[in-house]
Amino acid sequence: MRKKKVAILASTGMVGRRYVSILSSHPYFEISCVAGHESTGKRYGDIVKDEGLNIGYAADLLIKPTKPEAIDADLIFSPLPTEAARRIEPLFAKAGFNVITDASAHRMESDVPLIIPEVNPEHLRLIDYQKAKRKWDGAIVATPNCTATALALVLKPIHELLHVRKVIVSTMQAVSGAGYPGVPSLDIIDNVIPYIENEEEKVQSEPLKILGTIKSNKIEDADIEINAMCHRVPTTDGHMESIYLETESEADPEKVTKALDEFIGLPQRLNLPSAPKKPIIVMQDKDRPQVRIDRYAGTIPGMSVVVGRVRKGRSNNSIMLTMLSHNTIRGAAGSTVLTAELMLNQGYLS
Amino acid sequence: MRKKKVAILASTGMVGRRYVSILSSHPYFEISCVAGHESTGKRYGDIVKDEGLNIGYAADLLIKPTKPEAIDADLIFSPLPTEAARRIEPLFAKAGFNVITDASAHRMESDVPLIIPEVNPEHLRLIDYQKAKRKWDGAIVATPNCTATALALVLKPIHELLHVRKVIVSTMQAVSGAGYPGVPSLDIIDNVIPYIENEEEKVQSEPLKILGTIKSNKIEDADIEINAMCHRVPTTDGHMESIYLETESEADPEKVTKALDEFIGLPQRLNLPSAPKKPIIVMQDKDRPQVRIDRYAGTIPGMSVVVGRVRKGRSNNSIMLTMLSHNTIRGAAGSTVLTAELMLNQGYLS
Amino acid sequence: MRKKKVAILASTGMVGRRYVSILSSHPYFEISCVAGHESTGKRYGDIVKDEGLNIGYAADLLIKPTKPEAIDADLIFSPLPTEAARRIEPLFAKAGFNVITDASAHRMESDVPLIIPEVNPEHLRLIDYQKAKRKWDGAIVATPNCTATALALVLKPIHELLHVRKVIVSTMQAVSGAGYPGVPSLDIIDNVIPYIENEEEKVQSEPLKILGTIKSNKIEDADIEINAMCHRVPTTDGHMESIYLETESEADPEKVTKALDEFIGLPQRLNLPSAPKKPIIVMQDKDRPQVRIDRYAGTIPGMSVVVGRVRKGRSNNSIMLTMLSHNTIRGAAGSTVLTAELMLNQGYLS
Amino acid sequence: MRKKKVAILASTGMVGRRYVSILSSHPYFEISCVAGHESTGKRYGDIVKDEGLNIGYAADLLIKPTKPEAIDADLIFSPLPTEAARRIEPLFAKAGFNVITDASAHRMESDVPLIIPEVNPEHLRLIDYQKAKRKWDGAIVATPNCTATALALVLKPIHELLHVRKVIVSTMQAVSGAGYPGVPSLDIIDNVIPYIENEEEKVQSEPLKILGTIKSNKIEDADIEINAMCHRVPTTDGHMESIYLETESEADPEKVTKALDEFIGLPQRLNLPSAPKKPIIVMQDKDRPQVRIDRYAGTIPGMSVVVGRVRKGRSNNSIMLTMLSHNTIRGAAGSTVLTAELMLNQGYLS
């Protein structure tokens, strides 16, 4: 199979570099284009210093301007900042490109699929409807917020088992979630910050769309009430989520554990390259998962979420658990690449 | 007024030293006795090096054995470890001493008052009942767990306003809560540990007793369901609690804020020396309280809990808020000294 | 005595706020003017939120533009950034103002006194020469780099005792030294950065001027060879310096300890308000000073440097020691205010 | 080639587990025996929980007592604590075993080779002399202190090039260097501790033996004066050393850089399994190496030391540089395994 050509927008940024690194040695994709706002015309390898990231042949590519007419690709990865994403991504989609975006700009639009490959691969069907409705040759597909991704992934098997009614989630998020330079060190050493801008809104809304079902060409949100309290703590990578949930049926921690442990999705069945053997790893030790020790657990480092301390709350219909996910892998680039693999497999890139 | 004589058990330990430091310059109390397990007979100042703690005249006291017959005091402060407390504190109470203990050993016994001076000063009445029932000349009074203290303090005015039904609290606790040497640094740098031994049980049960009411000489627990998830994070001092609660009546964040902000207790009305002007400080900035910045807020550093981000949850009868308290001051020695001041004022030390 | 009027440039910045806070309750000075680049015309208290800093009556001042004609003051405090300082401070000095600056812009100019009040108060005499030479009615006086300040302070009594020939200093500097937002947290958690821009040059040169002597109206540098290696470590406040030095005479650690311990300067003899009783505190415990524990040691918190582990090196003429200083107090605003007090006392503000 | 049988003492401890993990999948060695102080007779895999460490077939071994008669092996790895090592290791050597030890107990004995495989492989010749002198059938070979190892490795090529006369080294050491539980978190968050027990003595003496030459069956120390100042900083793994050195010949940073960069030793020439392609990696970026980013640099993660900022000091015959090494890999187990590989290759295990 000929590799599909992919282009990366904002390729000199922190997330863009990670895409270049991942995709420069990917079995399905080859980087045909790196785009950027500055340094256009320069050699990518002269602009991006290799700091532990292997950028391979991409070093020799010349940086292109962020314009549809300058790009040749079957798929566009867009880690653009929100405002730029809002403006620029539709231009690419209109020009016939499939765009996968990490930005929040279009996530909640009713015809944009917000995909976690293990959770709602069937939402990719919205692509056809989006193209028809917007009269575009291409389409926009979105990756959810990092914290929302991990939450939705864990809720999926529990919701199927017990119908989740209500969630109270308190997060302890790593500084890499704020990008670079991000959180000043003076703000976080020996400290906890009980606020992350716009984060709680996303955690409260995105999982409902992800866990929703397509009805008449649009998504009907899952009927779950999510209450989120988000905190920044002094860790580098790995978001912890402390989750309390109430279910319609009586909750048995052993059955919940089993459902989490046995959960696999379409990417596992298709054996996609970035699909971890287990999307959810359940630990039994009472003091696990721990951020520094477990953030790379599993067969594809950083792609599994790790759950521990599954236990009953005070009421019969409640469950409490702790969950860890790697915010810049499963919560960002890793998940997006898995979505791209799924789109290719499902015929959306032809 | 002649100062009351106080003795400190385990006086060479970490908390014991703090008692010696606080009480060596206290307007109501004078240290007549420092006791210890080891080093008995030695000069206190030769054993305890002054590391930023001013121990004043106590330096010249000789360390006594931990036996009732060796002690002369109107009141005993006991920061003994749990097992020793279970065994030794009753010996002192039986011998006629009033003992205030930080240990969990006797906290949940039905005739032992578990006191937060601003919350349940009236529970001191259990002392008389305890003496009668146990045929003791003295009595045991207990200080709650640090995390439970701060939670009960914040719940008090909200419960009075709206009747709290259910609480889900997720904590981010400082390493000083584990004592010294406590948490190994290898376990906490760039890490979060989602488990603290026995902590959740205490947080779920102690506030119910504290917020309870005396009925027929025993305490009837408050009818609140508390679900606690406790985490250790890389901070030195100051526990954060992220709190979601459901109330019987509809919850208005402004009214809750007002009730928290205006709350004062008996210690404030009595103007006790260790009583902060405001037991609860409410901050308006959306990213406060923060651990390193706010842990000493208020007129008596470390004695006020600091609340922020009071807001509605997704349902009408819910409130979310963030709270910070200094775990070794309001959560331990500071609170206990305030209880001692209250006991003196209320005539329990005559 | 009527208080002297002082103006603060860049008053809304991080260091400027600290000046406003310190000077708003100072026995010698009153703030007549707060200046700024932005927000001119606005009320200071509306722009600067009170985050633990007490800004008192200064809250009601209106922010003035950074122009000599807009300012009425006997003394100007300038925490301007380097480039702005280079351009703007001479304008104020020319217009007749005495300017004390934290910036490095003019520090090494031969007629600008670079003052540590305990070390080289006699260098203030350069002011007269500077005015004459530059035909200015005012003058510029500079405060050294934070790391250089602490080093020069500790070298002073040792140099007097033994004539220091060579210094090898390795620093472990706190993130607050880089200002705000300064060091990104992703760069420093679980990390050490072995480079601070322009820092080693300053540490190698400024102490030589400070310890120098005035000869024919200019300073002859001290004849010491300083080799500096500067590192950023994950601490909030407080720079550690690990110092090896070689002396002309044989070095006796006890005599060095005594000289450090007994050292006082003119500010101590004059009993100036910001002068700590001991500019240098020597600790005997083998594991001290420590950053978090000792950074506020002494009578004026943050104004004493703390020395420990004074010991011989492998050769007879060598000494090794560890030193801690509070970089934003003794290393910046605190030292500058002490210089202002000295200038007033010595008649330079009339 | 039949694999050689190795036994691991203290196999249930922190370093012991690492040996089991490394050696259970080693091309030259197979674990025939795991010994321990407690849990003897139990299955190794039941005692040692697999926390990210793969212990493979060793899980099924029964733990043996730490006695020569209980052990069957060609080589003994001993990570015993100092006092136990002093007592027990000679018993094994006397009984005919070759013992490689991490402990400091026997390091400085004149007939015990203190080996860094790239630096002084020829010192293994002391084994024969040791056996003869002590009338033992076996022998003790020692691995140096972690900080001394990295220092000696970097000094080796510089010393050969320029003859090093004097070294002043200031270290910033990770908490894992103190073992587990090791440094209490309360002691290190937002802190630096300027003292590590017995560390400076080792850093000042061990490299002299390592860089020494065998004369008449004993080692003549290298003629270098090392002055060490050791500090603990809040990092998990990876010791930084800030090094100033004076040389006999004039020091040219470019030549020093070249000598460091091109340095290889016997393990590289023999292509031993644990030998990194480059024992010393030289970085050009002015702010590298950094602890968290570079501690695993190189072909065998953790086995290369990383050097940066090679520059001249103030005098012509001086060099300053920064160096990072992984203290638990190159500084302990990794180095020891490499020594074992070398001993096997050189015929010492027949």
Side-chain angles (χ1 to χ4, degrees):
Chain A
M1 185 181 73
R2 186 184 66 81
K3 287 190 178 183
K4 289 286 174 184
K5 288 183 286 184
V6 299
I8 296 140
L9 307 188
S11 64
T12 60
M14 186 173 159
V15 182
R17 288 163 196 227
R18 204 168 297 134
Y19 278 123
V20 172
S21 171
I22 297 173
L23 295 168
S24 65
S25 61
H26 194 281
Y28 294 177
F29 303 116
E30 93 173 293
I31 302 174
S32 58
C33 221
V34 290
H37 179 55
E38 296 164 350
S39 315
T40 52
K42 302 225 170 107
R43 195 177 154 272
Y44 188 73
D46 290 342
I47 299 304
V48 170
K49 275 194 288 188
D50 187 340
E51 296 188 340
L53 290 178
N54 180 15
I55 57 172
Y57 63 85
D60 290 323
L61 297 175
L62 299 186
I63 299 173
K64 296 284 173 64
T66 313
K67 294 179 182 166
E69 59 272 25
I71 308 287
D72 168 35
D74 299 303
L75 179 64
I76 309 272
F77 286 85
S78 168
L80 286 170
T82 311
E83 284 318 310
R86 193 183 316 282
R87 194 164 41 80
I88 293 170
E89 288 167 0
L91 303 179
F92 278 87
K94 198 171 180 182
F97 292 99
N98 286 302
V99 179
I100 310 192
T101 176
D102 292 306
S104 62
H106 306 287
R107 276 184 201 151
M108 299 308 283
E109 291 167 12
S110 68
D111 56 352
V112 171
L114 183 61
I115 299 293
I116 302 173
E118 284 91 344
V119 175
N120 61 339
E122 73 280 7
H123 287 193
L124 285 177
R125 276 201 283 130
L126 285 178
I127 289 175
D128 301 324
Y129 180 69
Q130 183 191 139
K131 286 177 165 180
K133 181 181 163 201
R134 304 196 184 201
K135 301 191 169 57
W136 286 352
D137 287 332
I140 296 175
V141 171
T143 291
N145 165 280
C146 51
T147 310
T149 294
L151 180 58
L153 191 44
V154 164
L155 287 182
K156 173 77 173 181
I158 307 179
H159 194 48
E160 281 184 353
L161 183 72
L162 298 168
H163 197 134
V164 175
R165 289 290 201 187
K166 185 191 295 194
V167 174
I168 291 101
V169 57
S170 175
T171 70
M172 288 152 278
Q173 303 186 213
V175 298
S176 61
Y180 187 85
V183 184
S185 52
L186 261 183
D187 282 351
I188 202 68
I189 293 176
D190 193 9
N191 203 13
V192 172
I193 304 174
Y195 179 72
I196 300 173
E197 198 169 10
N198 297 329
E199 189 80 358
E200 294 171 353
E201 293 79 353
K202 292 171 189 168
V203 178
Q204 295 185 160
S205 63
E206 293 183 12
L208 309 187
K209 177 173 180 181
I210 297 164
L211 295 169
T213 43
I214 300 185
K215 297 258 168 76
S216 341
N217 289 326
K218 51 193 298 190
I219 290 174
E220 191 174 286
D221 277 4
D223 181 25
I224 303 176
E225 179 199 299
I226 300 179
N227 298 273
M229 299 179 280
C230 294
H231 309 80
R232 189 76 70 192
V233 297
T235 53
T236 53
D237 289 311
H239 289 355
M240 290 279 277
E241 303 185 30
S242 156
I243 300 170
Y244 165 97
L245 54 85
E246 290 177 6
T247 55
E248 196 164 287
S249 324
E250 183 165 345
D252 175 343
E254 287 190 27
K255 286 185 186 155
V256 170
T257 297
K258 190 163 180 289
L260 290 165
D261 184 54
E262 296 181 348
F263 174 72
I264 59 165
L266 185 54
Q268 281 71 36
R269 283 190 291 273
L270 296 173
N271 206 18
L272 296 178
S274 300
K277 199 177 145 212
K278 280 171 164 295
I280 300 171
I281 293 171
V282 183
M283 305 192 107
Q284 295 302 334
D285 284 357
K286 66 187 175 187
D287 60 354
R288 304 290 281 275
Q290 290 182 21
V291 175
R292 199 182 73 234
I293 303 176
D294 300 314
R295 57 191 165 202
Y296 292 105
T299 56
I300 308 284
M303 281 299 284
S304 293
V305 304
V306 191
V307 167
R309 304 203 64 220
V310 180
R311 59 202 192 278
K312 235 187 163 63
R314 302 298 298 265
S315 87
N316 271 336
N317 287 22
S318 67
I319 285 286
M320 299 199 284
L321 58 84
T322 296
M323 183 256 286
L324 168 71
S325 74
H326 198 297
N327 52 299
T328 68
I329 301 178
R330 170 54 83 169
S335 207
T336 303
V337 170
L338 185 56
T339 297
E341 295 168 2
L342 181 66
M343 287 173 69
L344 174 60
N345 178 286
Q346 301 289 297
Y348 287 97
L349 301 190
S350 334
Chain B
M1 185 182 72
R2 186 183 69 77
K3 286 188 177 184
K4 289 287 174 184
K5 288 183 287 186
V6 299
I8 295 140
L9 307 188
S11 64
T12 59
M14 187 173 158
V15 182
R17 288 163 196 225
R18 204 169 297 135
Y19 278 124
V20 172
S21 171
I22 297 173
L23 294 168
S24 65
S25 62
H26 194 280
Y28 294 177
F29 303 117
E30 92 174 294
I31 302 172
S32 59
C33 222
V34 289
H37 179 57
E38 295 165 349
S39 315
T40 53
K42 302 225 169 107
R43 194 177 156 273
Y44 188 73
D46 291 343
I47 300 305
V48 170
K49 276 194 288 186
D50 187 340
E51 296 188 340
L53 290 177
N54 179 17
I55 58 171
Y57 63 84
D60 291 322
L61 297 175
L62 300 186
I63 299 173
K64 296 285 174 63
T66 312
K67 294 179 181 166
E69 59 272 24
I71 308 288
D72 169 34
D74 299 302
L75 179 64
I76 309 272
F77 287 85
S78 167
L80 286 170
T82 310
E83 284 318 308
R86 192 184 317 282
R87 196 165 39 82
I88 293 170
E89 288 168 359
L91 302 180
F92 278 88
K94 197 170 181 182
F97 292 98
N98 286 301
V99 178
I100 309 194
T101 177
D102 291 305
S104 63
H106 307 286
R107 277 184 200 150
M108 299 309 284
E109 291 168 11
S110 67
D111 56 352
V112 171
L114 184 61
I115 300 293
I116 302 172
E118 285 90 344
V119 174
N120 61 340
E122 72 281 6
H123 286 193
L124 284 177
R125 275 200 286 129
L126 284 179
I127 289 176
D128 301 325
Y129 179 70
Q130 181 190 143
K131 285 176 166 181
K133 181 180 162 202
R134 304 197 184 198
K135 301 195 169 54
W136 285 352
D137 288 331
I140 295 174
V141 172
T143 291
N145 166 279
C146 50
T147 310
T149 295
L151 179 58
L153 192 44
V154 163
L155 287 182
K156 173 76 173 182
I158 307 178
H159 194 47
E160 281 184 353
L161 182 72
L162 297 169
H163 199 133
V164 175
R165 288 289 202 186
K166 185 191 294 193
V167 174
I168 291 101
V169 56
S170 176
T171 71
M172 289 151 279
Q173 303 186 212
V175 298
S176 63
Y180 187 86
V183 183
S185 52
L186 260 182
D187 283 351
I188 203 67
I189 293 176
D190 192 9
N191 202 13
V192 172
I193 305 174
Y195 178 73
I196 300 173
E197 199 169 10
N198 296 327
E199 189 79 359
E200 294 171 353
E201 293 78 353
K202 293 171 189 168
V203 177
Q204 294 188 162
S205 63
E206 294 184 12
L208 308 187
K209 178 173 179 180
I210 296 163
L211 295 169
T213 45
I214 301 185
K215 296 256 168 79
S216 340
N217 290 325
K218 52 192 298 189
I219 290 174
E220 192 176 285
D221 277 4
D223 180 25
I224 304 176
E225 180 200 299
I226 301 179
N227 297 274
M229 300 178 279
C230 294
H231 309 81
R232 190 76 70 193
V233 297
T235 54
T236 54
D237 289 310
H239 288 356
M240 290 279 277
E241 303 185 29
S242 155
I243 299 169
Y244 166 97
L245 54 84
E246 290 177 8
T247 56
E248 197 165 287
S249 325
E250 182 166 344
D252 175 344
E254 288 190 26
K255 286 184 186 157
V256 170
T257 297
K258 190 162 180 289
L260 291 165
D261 183 55
E262 295 180 349
F263 174 71
I264 59 166
L266 186 53
Q268 282 71 35
R269 284 190 289 273
L270 296 173
N271 206 18
L272 296 178
S274 300
K277 199 177 147 211
K278 277 170 166 296
I280 300 171
I281 293 171
V282 183
M283 305 191 107
Q284 297 302 333
D285 283 357
K286 65 189 174 185
D287 59 353
R288 304 290 280 274
Q290 290 182 21
V291 174
R292 200 181 74 233
I293 302 177
D294 299 314
R295 59 191 164 202
Y296 292 106
T299 56
I300 308 284
M303 282 298 284
S304 294
V305 303
V306 189
V307 167
R309 304 203 64 219
V310 180
R311 60 203 191 277
K312 236 186 163 63
R314 301 299 297 265
S315 88
N316 272 336
N317 288 23
S318 68
I319 285 286
M320 299 199 282
L321 57 85
T322 296
M323 184 255 285
L324 168 71
S325 73
H326 197 297
N327 53 301
T328 69
I329 302 179
R330 170 55 82 169
S335 206
T336 303
V337 170
L338 185 57
T339 297
E341 295 168 1
L342 180 67
M343 287 174 70
L344 175 59
N345 178 285
Q346 301 288 297
Y348 286 97
L349 301 190
S350 332
Chain C
M1 184 182 74
R2 184 182 69 79
K3 287 189 177 183
K4 289 286 173 185
K5 288 183 286 186
V6 298
I8 296 139
L9 307 187
S11 64
T12 58
M14 187 172 158
V15 182
R17 288 163 195 225
R18 204 171 297 134
Y19 278 125
V20 172
S21 171
I22 296 172
L23 295 167
S24 65
S25 62
H26 194 281
Y28 293 178
F29 303 117
E30 91 174 296
I31 301 172
S32 58
C33 223
V34 288
H37 179 56
E38 295 164 349
S39 315
T40 52
K42 302 227 170 106
R43 193 176 157 272
Y44 188 73
D46 291 342
I47 300 305
V48 170
K49 276 194 288 187
D50 187 339
E51 295 188 342
L53 290 177
N54 179 16
I55 57 170
Y57 63 84
D60 290 324
L61 296 175
L62 300 186
I63 300 173
K64 295 285 172 64
T66 312
K67 294 179 181 165
E69 59 271 25
I71 308 286
D72 168 34
D74 299 302
L75 179 64
I76 308 272
F77 286 85
S78 168
L80 286 170
T82 310
E83 285 318 308
R86 192 184 316 282
R87 195 164 40 81
I88 293 171
E89 289 168 1
L91 302 179
F92 278 88
K94 198 171 180 181
F97 291 99
N98 286 301
V99 179
I100 309 191
T101 176
D102 292 305
S104 63
H106 307 287
R107 276 183 202 152
M108 299 309 283
E109 291 168 11
S110 69
D111 56 352
V112 171
L114 185 60
I115 299 295
I116 302 173
E118 285 91 344
V119 175
N120 61 340
E122 72 280 6
H123 287 193
L124 284 177
R125 275 200 286 130
L126 285 179
I127 289 176
D128 300 325
Y129 179 71
Q130 183 190 140
K131 285 178 166 180
K133 182 182 163 199
R134 305 198 184 197
K135 301 194 169 54
W136 286 352
D137 289 331
I140 296 175
V141 172
T143 291
N145 166 278
C146 50
T147 310
T149 295
L151 179 58
L153 191 45
V154 163
L155 287 182
K156 173 76 173 182
I158 307 178
H159 194 47
E160 282 184 354
L161 183 71
L162 297 168
H163 198 132
V164 175
R165 288 290 201 186
K166 186 192 293 192
V167 174
I168 290 99
V169 56
S170 175
T171 71
M172 289 151 278
Q173 304 186 211
V175 297
S176 62
Y180 187 88
V183 183
S185 52
L186 260 183
D187 282 352
I188 204 65
I189 292 176
D190 192 10
N191 203 12
V192 172
I193 305 173
Y195 179 73
I196 300 173
E197 198 169 12
N198 296 327
E199 190 79 359
E200 294 171 355
E201 292 80 353
K202 292 171 189 168
V203 178
Q204 294 187 161
S205 62
E206 294 184 11
L208 308 187
K209 178 174 181 182
I210 297 163
L211 295 169
T213 45
I214 301 186
K215 296 258 169 77
S216 336
N217 289 327
K218 52 193 297 191
I219 290 174
E220 193 175 286
D221 277 5
D223 181 25
I224 304 175
E225 180 200 299
I226 301 179
N227 297 274
M229 300 178 279
C230 294
H231 309 80
R232 190 75 70 192
V233 296
T235 54
T236 53
D237 289 311
H239 288 356
M240 291 279 277
E241 302 185 30
S242 157
I243 299 170
Y244 165 97
L245 52 87
E246 290 177 7
T247 57
E248 197 164 286
S249 324
E250 183 166 344
D252 175 343
E254 287 190 28
K255 286 184 186 157
V256 169
T257 297
K258 191 164 179 290
L260 290 166
D261 184 54
E262 295 180 349
F263 174 71
I264 59 165
L266 185 54
Q268 281 70 36
R269 284 190 290 274
L270 297 173
N271 206 18
L272 296 178
S274 300
K277 197 176 147 212
K278 279 170 165 296
I280 301 171
I281 294 171
V282 183
M283 305 192 108
Q284 296 302 333
D285 283 357
K286 65 188 175 187
D287 60 353
R288 304 290 280 274
Q290 289 182 20
V291 174
R292 199 182 73 232
I293 302 177
D294 299 315
R295 58 191 163 202
Y296 292 104
T299 56
I300 308 284
M303 282 298 284
S304 295
V305 304
V306 191
V307 167
R309 305 203 62 221
V310 180
R311 60 203 193 277
K312 236 187 163 62
R314 301 298 297 264
S315 89
N316 271 336
N317 287 22
S318 67
I319 284 287
M320 299 199 283
L321 58 83
T322 296
M323 183 256 286
L324 168 70
S325 74
H326 197 297
N327 53 300
T328 67
I329 302 179
R330 170 55 82 169
S335 208
T336 302
V337 170
L338 185 57
T339 297
E341 296 169 2
L342 180 67
M343 287 174 71
L344 174 59
N345 178 286
Q346 301 287 295
Y348 287 97
L349 301 190
S350 332
Chain D
M1 185 182 72
R2 187 184 66 80
K3 287 189 177 184
K4 289 286 173 185
K5 287 183 286 185
V6 298
I8 295 140
L9 308 187
S11 65
T12 59
M14 185 172 159
V15 182
R17 289 164 195 226
R18 204 169 299 136
Y19 278 124
V20 172
S21 170
I22 296 173
L23 295 167
S24 64
S25 62
H26 194 280
Y28 292 178
F29 303 117
E30 92 173 293
I31 302 173
S32 59
C33 221
V34 289
H37 179 55
E38 295 164 349
S39 316
T40 51
K42 302 223 168 109
R43 195 178 155 272
Y44 188 73
D46 291 343
I47 300 303
V48 170
K49 276 194 288 189
D50 188 339
E51 297 187 341
L53 291 176
N54 179 17
I55 57 172
Y57 62 84
D60 290 323
L61 297 173
L62 299 187
I63 299 173
K64 296 285 173 62
T66 313
K67 294 179 180 164
E69 59 271 25
I71 308 287
D72 168 34
D74 299 302
L75 178 64
I76 308 273
F77 286 85
S78 168
L80 285 170
T82 311
E83 285 318 307
R86 194 184 315 282
R87 195 164 40 80
I88 292 170
E89 288 168 0
L91 303 178
F92 277 87
K94 199 171 180 181
F97 292 98
N98 287 301
V99 179
I100 309 192
T101 176
D102 293 304
S104 63
H106 307 286
R107 277 184 201 152
M108 300 308 284
E109 291 167 12
S110 68
D111 57 351
V112 172
L114 184 60
I115 300 293
I116 302 173
E118 284 91 344
V119 175
N120 61 340
E122 72 280 7
H123 287 193
L124 284 177
R125 273 200 287 131
L126 286 178
I127 289 176
D128 301 325
Y129 180 70
Q130 183 190 141
K131 286 178 165 179
K133 183 180 161 201
R134 304 196 182 199
K135 302 191 169 55
W136 285 351
D137 289 332
I140 296 175
V141 173
T143 291
N145 165 278
C146 50
T147 310
T149 295
L151 180 58
L153 191 45
V154 163
L155 287 181
K156 173 76 173 182
I158 307 178
H159 193 48
E160 282 184 352
L161 182 72
L162 299 168
H163 198 134
V164 175
R165 288 288 201 187
K166 186 191 293 193
V167 174
I168 291 99
V169 57
S170 175
T171 70
M172 288 151 279
Q173 302 185 214
V175 298
S176 63
Y180 188 86
V183 184
S185 51
L186 260 182
D187 283 352
I188 203 66
I189 293 176
D190 192 10
N191 203 14
V192 172
I193 304 174
Y195 179 74
I196 299 173
E197 198 169 11
N198 297 327
E199 189 80 359
E200 294 171 355
E201 293 79 354
K202 292 171 188 167
V203 178
Q204 294 186 162
S205 62
E206 294 183 10
L208 308 187
K209 179 174 179 181
I210 297 163
L211 295 169
T213 45
I214 300 184
K215 297 256 167 79
S216 339
N217 290 325
K218 51 191 299 190
I219 290 174
E220 192 176 284
D221 277 4
D223 182 25
I224 304 176
E225 180 200 299
I226 301 179
N227 298 273
M229 300 179 279
C230 294
H231 308 81
R232 190 76 70 192
V233 296
T235 53
T236 54
D237 289 312
H239 289 355
M240 290 279 277
E241 303 186 30
S242 155
I243 299 170
Y244 165 98
L245 53 85
E246 290 177 8
T247 56
E248 198 165 284
S249 325
E250 184 166 343
D252 175 344
E254 287 190 27
K255 287 183 186 157
V256 170
T257 297
K258 190 162 180 291
L260 290 165
D261 184 54
E262 295 179 350
F263 174 71
I264 60 164
L266 185 55
Q268 281 72 35
R269 284 189 289 272
L270 297 172
N271 206 18
L272 297 178
S274 301
K277 197 178 148 209
K278 279 171 165 293
I280 301 171
I281 294 171
V282 183
M283 305 192 106
Q284 296 303 333
D285 284 356
K286 65 188 175 185
D287 59 353
R288 303 292 278 275
Q290 290 183 19
V291 174
R292 201 183 71 232
I293 302 177
D294 299 315
R295 58 191 164 202
Y296 291 105
T299 55
I300 308 285
M303 281 299 284
S304 294
V305 305
V306 190
V307 167
R309 303 203 64 219
V310 180
R311 60 203 192 276
K312 236 186 164 61
R314 300 300 297 263
S315 89
N316 272 335
N317 288 22
S318 67
I319 285 286
M320 300 199 282
L321 58 83
T322 297
M323 184 255 284
L324 167 72
S325 74
H326 197 297
N327 53 299
T328 68
I329 301 178
R330 171 53 84 168
S335 207
T336 303
V337 170
L338 184 57
T339 297
E341 295 168 1
L342 180 67
M343 287 173 70
L344 174 59
N345 178 285
Q346 301 288 294
Y348 287 97
L349 301 190
S350 333

